[in-house]
Every structure is written in C-alpha cells, then in structure tokens.
Amino acid sequence: MNKKIYISAICALAISASATDLGTIEVAEEINTKVVNDVSGEEVKSADLAEALSKKSPSISLIRRSGIANDIVLRGQKRDNIRVTIDDAVVCGACMNRMDPPTSHVITTNVDSVVIKEGPFDVTEMGTLSGGVKIQTKNPTEEPSGEISATVGSFGYKKAVVSASGGNDKVKLLVTVSKEEGGQYEDGDGNNFYEQLKNKAPSDNQLADAYKDMDAFEKQSMMAKTIVNIDDKSDVELSYTKNESDNVLYPSTSMDAVYDDSNILNFKYTLGDLNKYSKKLEVKAYHSDVDHPMSTIFRNNGLATTMINHLTTDVDGLKILNTFDYESSEITYGLDASKRNWDGHYSKVGALPNAMFKSIDDTDTDNNALFLQYFRTVGKSDLEFGIRYDKTTIDVQKSKITSDSDRRFNSLSANIFATYNVDETTKYFAGIGRSYRVPDARELYVINKTGTSQGTDTLNQTQNNEIDLGVQKDYEDGQIKLKVFYSKLKDYIYFNSLATVANTDNFENIDATIYGAELNADYYVNDQIIFEMAIAYKKGKKDTLPTSNTDTNLADITPLQTTLGLIYDHDDYTNASIELVSSADWNNYDSDNGEQEIDGYNIVNLKGETSLNDQTTLIVGIDNLFDKTYAVSNTYKDLTLLGDVTTSDVMLMNEPGRYIYANLKYSF
C-alpha cells in the first residue's frame, strides 16, 4: 500500500480519537475517490488550481484559456456536468464563455485538500453527473502560527502570501492575504499572447499595439476563517473569501476580462452525539456571488467602440445532514436547497454607443432535494447505497423570449457501490448509478452580441447511467489500482455549431456514450526512491447525431495520456522529482463542432525542495524543460473562440514554453 496513505490514515484515526473540535476536517481516501493533499504546500507554481489538479489526477484534463483561471474536464465532461464546491459552497462562474470557472475562485495557497469523486456516486450534491470536486480550504490552528512566502517565475510571474493563525481551545482564527501577477507567457516557439494573436487571429481581434506588453493578469485574494468551539459536542465555523482579478487576457477569445470579483461566505454548525438517532448533525449555509464584465477594450476593434458583456451571478444555499448508527449500519439523510440567479447584458461605449440589451435573461434556478446515504460492512464487503430526489424550477424574465419559457424538472437519482476485500492487500469494487443535471440559463436562454437567441428553451435534463469496476492491489513496496467505467448519457446537452443557418437553437439533446480506463501505480524502489505511474484513456461517441452532423466523435475526449514520475527523498529535509507527461495524438475529434487534430507531446518537468532551516523552505522547478510547443485543450465551439486566419480551423492556444519558478517560504 502507498506509504503516504498509511500515514494519512493513521493521522486521521489519531485525530478522530482525541479531538473535541468538530470543525477539524479529516480527509480519508476511499476506494472510489482521489485525494490531493497539501495543495497549498506543494502547488506553488501559480494560484491556478485547475492546472494543479490536471497534474495530480489522470481523470482530469485542462482547458487552457489564459495564464490563470483555466477550466477542468473530468472523464470527458465539464461545466454543469461536474459539481465543484468550495468548503461545501456552490460557486458558479458568471461568464458565459467560462473565463471564470468555479476553480478560479479559490487559489492554491488557501487550499488544504481536494477530493475528486468520479462517477454518479454522490447524492449530497445537485447535478453530480460524471463526478464531483470538493475543495477544502485550510483550517485555523490553536497554536499561534504563520507563513510568509514569495514565488517568482518565468514571464514576469510574482506572488506574495502572508498567513497567520492562532487561538485557544474555544476560538481559532486564520487570515490569509495574497497578491500575484503574471505577464504574457511565451510558447515553445517564443510567441507571447500578442504574437500568437498576430500570427493567427483576424486583425480586428488582435491585441492593440498599445497593449502588446501588458501583463496577462493581476489577482488579489483574502480569506478569513474562524472556528468557535461551543462545547465538547458542538462548534460553529465561519469563513469569508474575497477574490479580485483584473485585466485578464484570454487570447483565443474575442474579449478579455476587465475584472472578475467574487465573494464566498460560509457558515457551518456541527452538533455531535445529540441522541441515538443523531451521531452528527450538520447545518451548512452559504452565499457566493461573481461580478464579471468582459470587453474588447484591449483589442483593435475596441479602440473606437468597445463592446462590453457584463454578467453577474449569485448562489444561496442551505444543507442539513444528520448521521446515525443503526444495527451495524451508518445512515445519513438530509435536505439540500439552493437558488442561483444569472443575469447579463451587452453594451457599447465610444464612437458608436448603443442601448443595453440582454446576453442572458435574468434567470433564477431553484433546487430543492432530499437525499439518503446508507453504509454497511457485511463480512468482507463494504456496501454503500444512495438515493436523491430533486425538484428544480427555472424562471426567466423573458426580455427576448415571447413564449412561456419557464421550466420544471423532477428527478430521482440512485446508486450502489460495493467493495469486496479479498484480504488485507486486495480489493475489488463495482458501482452502478443514475444521476441527472438540468440545463442552465446559458443553454436555455443565451443571446449573442447580434441579439440572436442561441439558447434552446425546450431542452430536457440529462440522465447519466454508469457502471464503474476496478481492483486495487497493495504490495509491500507499492500499490496498483485499475478502474474502468462505462457511461450512457440520455439527452446529453450538446452544442451544435451546425444547428441552423440563422445560428439559433444551438443546444440539442443527444444520446452519447463515454467509456474509459485509468491505471495508477506506485513502487518504492527503496526508502529514498519512489516510482509513480498514471495512465488515462477515454472514448466518446454520439449515439444520436445533432442536426446536420455526420461526425460521431464526442467533443472534449482527450487522448491517451501517461505520466511517469520518479521521486528522490534524500532525507527529511530535501527531495527532488522528475516527471514525464506523454500524450498521444488527438485524432478522434468532433470536426463538425470546431475540434481539430492535435499532435501528441512529451514534456519533462523537474522539481526540488529543501529546508534551509527549521522554518524556511525553498522549492524550485522547471516545467517543460525542453521548451516544447504543444497544446492540451481542443477547440470545441461550445466556447466562443477565434478563427485561425492561416487555416480553416479555430485558433488553437499553445501551452507555456520552458517555465522556471522558485518559492521561498518562512513559517513560524
């Protein structure tokens, strides 16, 4: 078994046995989850959590949009098909074009751990179609402590972080502030954002010469969290996170973000051992909001008249969970309620101003749900069962839509997951589940900048029926884990760029299939050298074709990828690693909807860490050691992307070339 997992399990048991602070988060890796620990300590290259997760899990791939605020794909699905929470709060991006996905509203510095649960096996969250990503931020400590860190990297990257924590047995407080900025990175050919646009994009969409040397982004963040221990059985946790991003360039898109501001407020009350029918009662409430204007102000076509699309969104939610033991079983049941508002409008300023008109009609999505989870060990088998009933209403103000476009949805999701423990070293597992997700306001009601409705207000909710199988084998010097999955998607919501000549009703329900396999292995060569391997393969097909489509390949299905890593632990103070990331050619793609063939790549990354003394740590690294030019994300037209004037394809955005970084951290 992986020695790191042994250590995590032992620590979790020790904390659980002795702690009276119910607010302390204990993360244990289950057979059907992947836990990424110590994100704030390990992922120092940048504040982009999406990029960090794509390196840590073979099931997650990156959608590159900029130097920061990138998006993730989990098992070939993204957007509302996966559920992302931050300290159990739902945070939705405001941008129709995914310039501000949920992972962009928390920075790696503030993240303690991330739990990735694949498949439709989490009934506590709405819309967990292909999986979920639960982000847990750092907790305050009782002992006074703090941290000051500085990171510098290629292409003008700079980040500074200050954190302080402390308290007593009744009250603990953590405060973290950070600031970072980065220039336009260069790809392996030495082209920065301005030059990539100059070489590929239409003249009107290129960066204006006045902004050719501007930074790619600026970002500030502040997080405060307190845990109040009321008594031995109950505590209250409050947290607030504020993020501010300014002047973020998105070179493969026609607009950039003037700013992107978000607020996340969390409240949690935990009560333990209330009675025999309540071992643990949790009440969670949250509010999140995002303010996001994007514009053409930095582009050639924005010099005289600037087009602005200003979008806002907010979510309020409440979740109540009660857990109790009953006849050797553990049962958790509860309710989940949330309300999301999404609104947006276009305007022009400058020589040719015009009146505002909608980009997304003011829309409320209300969800109310009941759920139940059941766990029991029977002999050598661990059995988990979950069921969830959702009732969702979507109400729109209909400024551009004359028909009654409000929608009502009901669904019943359920799953069962079983693990058979052959012995202490071998486990087989299997799961089958069904889950749903409703269409969002963009898919139903989005309006383009010409005033044409591209949304399809008759969409059905998507149903996922999935089977997962796997085996985990632990050895004295390592571990191997193989997982396979098969997903049948009914009424999958798909963007169709060939929908009509008028370019209306671009979203359609289709049936589709996604299947794949993931292999993870660790081998301890000796006490100092560890070998790691991860392989991920996926295949996606349209079972029914969208209007006018002939290509049966499903979009966003990344090719075979292999990651090989070698870690050298010299001693308790110094370690180093080398990593090879290899991707096959992307030759199964949806040509009907903007995707294109992409060459495979082989990238080498280096990283080293050493303790200069008991309080000071230095981390240095080089990504893309040999300065290769490559791309990791394709050009599916569900994103509004620029055309490439040198080809007939959508503009492809390259990854950074050789990137050198260093982080110096002082802890006290």
Side-chain angles (χ1 to χ4, degrees):
M1 185 178 184
N2 188 320
K3 295 179 182 177
K4 295 179 182 178
I5 298 176
Y6 269 129
I7 295 170
S8 297
I10 292 169
C11 290
L13 289 171
I15 293 171
S16 179
S18 63
T20 58
D21 180 4
L22 300 174
T24 300
I25 299 298
E26 299 158 18
V27 179
E29 184 155 346
E30 301 172 2
I31 193 71
N32 62 333
T33 63
K34 166 71 174 178
V35 179
V36 182
N37 284 307
D38 194 23
V39 176
S40 62
E42 293 289 332
E43 302 305 318
V44 299
K45 175 187 170 184
S46 75
D48 193 355
L49 181 60
E51 186 172 352
L53 291 178
S54 69
K55 293 182 176 181
K56 292 295 184 179
S57 172
S59 62
I60 288 182
S61 51
L62 183 73
I63 299 180
R64 171 68 67 180
R65 305 300 310 285
S66 182
I68 202 169
N70 298 294
D71 207 355
I72 59 173
V73 180
L74 177 62
R75 283 189 171 180
Q77 297 188 50
K78 61 184 182 183
R79 292 188 181 266
D80 285 13
N81 295 326
I82 58 178
R83 194 63 159 179
V84 178
T85 59
I86 303 171
D87 289 337
D88 296 316
V90 176
V91 183
C92 297
C95 181
M96 303 183 301
N97 213 28
R98 296 293 283 192
M99 290 180 177
D100 59 342
T103 52
S104 71
H105 298 286
V106 61
I107 63 174
T108 54
T109 303
N110 292 337
V111 176
D112 179 48
S113 63
V114 180
V115 178
I116 304 164
K117 192 161 189 175
E118 300 160 338
F121 302 113
D122 184 1
V123 295
T124 66
E125 299 293 343
M126 173 190 177
T128 306
L129 203 65
S130 68
V133 177
K134 293 180 178 290
I135 302 164
Q136 176 62 48
T137 60
K138 293 191 294 186
N139 277 334
T141 59
E142 183 174 326
E143 293 296 322
S145 62
E147 183 177 294
I148 300 172
S149 72
T151 306
V152 294
S154 299
F155 319 121
Y157 179 75
K158 297 183 286 290
K159 179 174 71 173
V161 182
V162 178
S163 177
S165 181
N168 52 39
D169 59 349
K170 289 296 184 181
V171 181
K172 296 187 288 292
L173 176 65
L174 168 70
V175 178
T176 301
V177 294
S178 68
K179 181 178 177 60
E180 67 179 320
E181 60 185 43
Q184 302 173 38
Y185 71 70
E186 297 176 2
D187 63 15
D189 294 327
N191 294 318
N192 62 13
F193 292 179
Y194 173 83
E195 289 160 338
Q196 285 196 53
L197 283 166
K198 195 79 170 176
N199 295 337
K200 300 177 182 180
S203 176
D204 281 354
N205 300 122
Q206 295 173 13
L207 276 176
D209 287 343
Y211 301 108
K212 63 182 296 185
D213 297 319
M214 71 176 290
D215 281 345
F217 63 88
E218 301 171 11
K219 189 175 183 70
Q220 304 84 39
S221 179
M222 186 277 289
M223 184 183 77
K225 181 185 288 189
T226 184
I227 297 176
V228 180
N229 184 236
I230 299 172
D231 53 39
D232 289 346
K233 293 184 177 181
S234 60
D235 62 34
V236 171
E237 178 182 312
L238 283 169
S239 65
Y240 171 68
T241 299
K242 184 175 184 61
N243 285 288
E244 295 181 345
S245 300
D246 299 304
N247 301 327
V248 185
L249 297 180
Y250 295 87
S252 61
T253 306
S254 60
M255 288 183 167
D256 305 293
V258 181
Y259 63 83
D260 189 84
D261 295 348
S262 65
N263 299 280
I264 307 169
L265 182 63
N266 269 289
F267 167 85
K268 182 169 75 171
Y269 171 70
T270 305
L271 177 62
D273 297 325
L274 184 61
N275 54 50
K276 69 176 182 177
Y277 295 112
S278 183
K279 180 175 67 175
K280 185 178 183 181
L281 176 67
E282 295 176 281
V283 179
K284 305 175 183 180
Y286 64 85
H287 168 83
S288 66
D289 60 74
V290 181
D291 184 9
H292 174 88
M294 52 181 175
S295 83
T296 60
I297 189 171
F298 304 128
R299 308 298 179 101
N300 286 332
N301 59 2
L303 294 177
T305 302
T306 300
M307 170 72 78
I308 300 170
N309 188 1
H310 196 155
L311 300 114
T312 59
T313 189
D314 60 80
V315 187
D316 294 296
L318 173 68
K319 186 176 293 183
I320 301 175
L321 304 93
N322 184 56
T323 301
F324 66 97
D325 294 329
Y326 178 75
E327 294 186 353
S328 303
S329 303
E330 183 180 82
I331 299 172
T332 300
Y333 65 91
L335 63 87
D336 182 22
S338 64
K339 180 176 182 178
R340 180 192 183 185
N341 177 266
W342 200 355
D343 193 14
H345 63 264
Y346 292 105
S347 62
K348 289 182 180 179
V349 296
L352 298 171
N354 72 337
M356 294 188 300
F357 64 97
K358 284 292 185 179
S359 54
I360 287 183
D361 278 285
D362 190 3
T363 304
D364 289 330
T365 300
D366 285 276
N367 174 260
N368 294 281
L370 298 173
F371 60 86
L372 180 143
Q373 292 183 135
Y374 174 89
F375 175 84
R376 182 166 185 166
T377 298
V378 181
K380 293 185 175 183
S381 299
D382 299 324
L383 301 176
E384 300 175 62
F385 169 78
I387 188 168
R388 177 184 175 101
Y389 173 74
D390 283 276
K391 183 176 182 179
T392 306
T393 62
I394 303 175
D395 297 319
V396 60
Q397 295 301 311
K398 297 185 283 291
S399 66
K400 287 283 183 182
I401 303 169
T402 56
S403 62
D404 183 5
S405 299
D406 293 345
R407 304 299 308 278
R408 303 290 183 267
F409 299 97
N410 297 287
S411 64
L412 184 66
S413 303
N415 66 75
I416 185 168
F417 196 95
T419 304
Y420 179 65
N421 304 287
V422 179
D423 51 39
E424 293 183 353
T425 64
T426 306
K427 298 180 180 181
Y428 294 99
F429 54 92
I432 183 169
R434 170 178 289 180
S435 60
Y436 295 82
R437 77 95 164 171
V438 300
D440 68 16
R442 168 182 174 265
E443 294 161 336
L444 293 168
Y445 312 123
V446 65
I447 300 165
N448 67 20
K449 60 186 178 183
T450 66
T452 302
S453 174
Q454 290 184 285
T456 305
D457 58 15
T458 57
L459 290 171
N460 297 322
Q461 62 183 333
T462 299
Q463 178 190 114
N464 180 34
N465 300 287
E466 182 171 319
I467 297 175
D468 283 41
L469 301 169
V471 59
Q472 178 175 301
K473 179 69 175 177
D474 300 327
Y475 301 93
E476 182 178 353
D477 296 319
Q479 180 192 75
I480 187 168
K481 186 175 182 179
L482 173 66
K483 296 187 290 184
V484 297
F485 71 95
Y486 184 85
S487 173
K488 292 288 288 185
L489 296 159
K490 179 178 173 57
D491 290 326
Y492 188 48
I493 299 172
Y494 204 75
F495 182 86
N496 179 15
S497 63
L498 305 178
T500 66
V501 176
N503 203 31
T504 60
D505 293 341
N506 279 114
F507 295 91
E508 296 187 25
N509 287 120
I510 66 170
D511 293 340
T513 300
I514 302 176
Y515 58 89
E518 300 157 20
L519 177 68
N520 289 269
D522 300 309
Y523 174 62
Y524 287 78
V525 180
N526 53 44
D527 290 340
Q528 292 181 309
I529 300 175
I530 308 167
F531 173 76
E532 297 180 339
M533 178 178 66
I535 302 174
Y537 171 79
K538 295 177 289 293
K539 188 78 171 180
K541 290 291 184 181
K542 306 170 192 170
D543 297 329
T544 59
L545 291 174
T547 304
S548 302
N549 278 216
T550 59
D551 195 331
T552 61
N553 289 316
L554 206 63
D556 290 323
I557 306 299
T558 51
L560 176 70
Q561 181 168 306
T562 302
T563 301
L564 303 176
L566 195 65
I567 301 171
Y568 173 63
D569 283 322
H570 180 263
D571 51 34
D572 292 339
Y573 306 100
T574 302
N575 63 74
S577 65
I578 181 170
E579 177 185 67
L580 170 66
V581 181
S582 179
S583 174
D585 293 341
W586 197 328
N587 48 27
N588 292 315
Y589 54 92
D590 185 358
S591 58
D592 284 336
N593 293 294
E595 289 196 320
Q596 57 191 284
E597 185 168 5
I598 300 177
D599 292 336
Y601 54 85
N602 295 286
I603 303 301
V604 175
N605 303 320
L606 304 177
K607 184 179 178 182
E609 178 177 351
T610 186
S611 297
L612 303 180
N613 53 46
D614 290 342
Q615 296 175 300
T616 308
T617 303
L618 175 66
I619 298 176
V620 295
I622 306 176
D623 280 3
N624 192 2
L625 176 65
F626 298 108
D627 206 18
K628 299 289 187 180
T629 300
Y630 70 108
V632 300
S633 51
N634 217 310
T635 49
Y636 178 32
K637 285 186 177 180
D638 70 326
L639 295 172
T640 302
L641 302 172
L642 298 174
D644 189 332
V645 296
T646 65
T647 68
S648 59
D649 294 319
V650 178
M651 178 179 163
L652 192 66
M653 186 170 177
N654 291 330
E655 290 294 291
R658 184 183 298 112
Y659 188 94
I660 304 171
Y661 61 94
N663 170 266
L664 186 65
K665 179 172 63 179
Y666 175 75
S667 302
F668 56 91

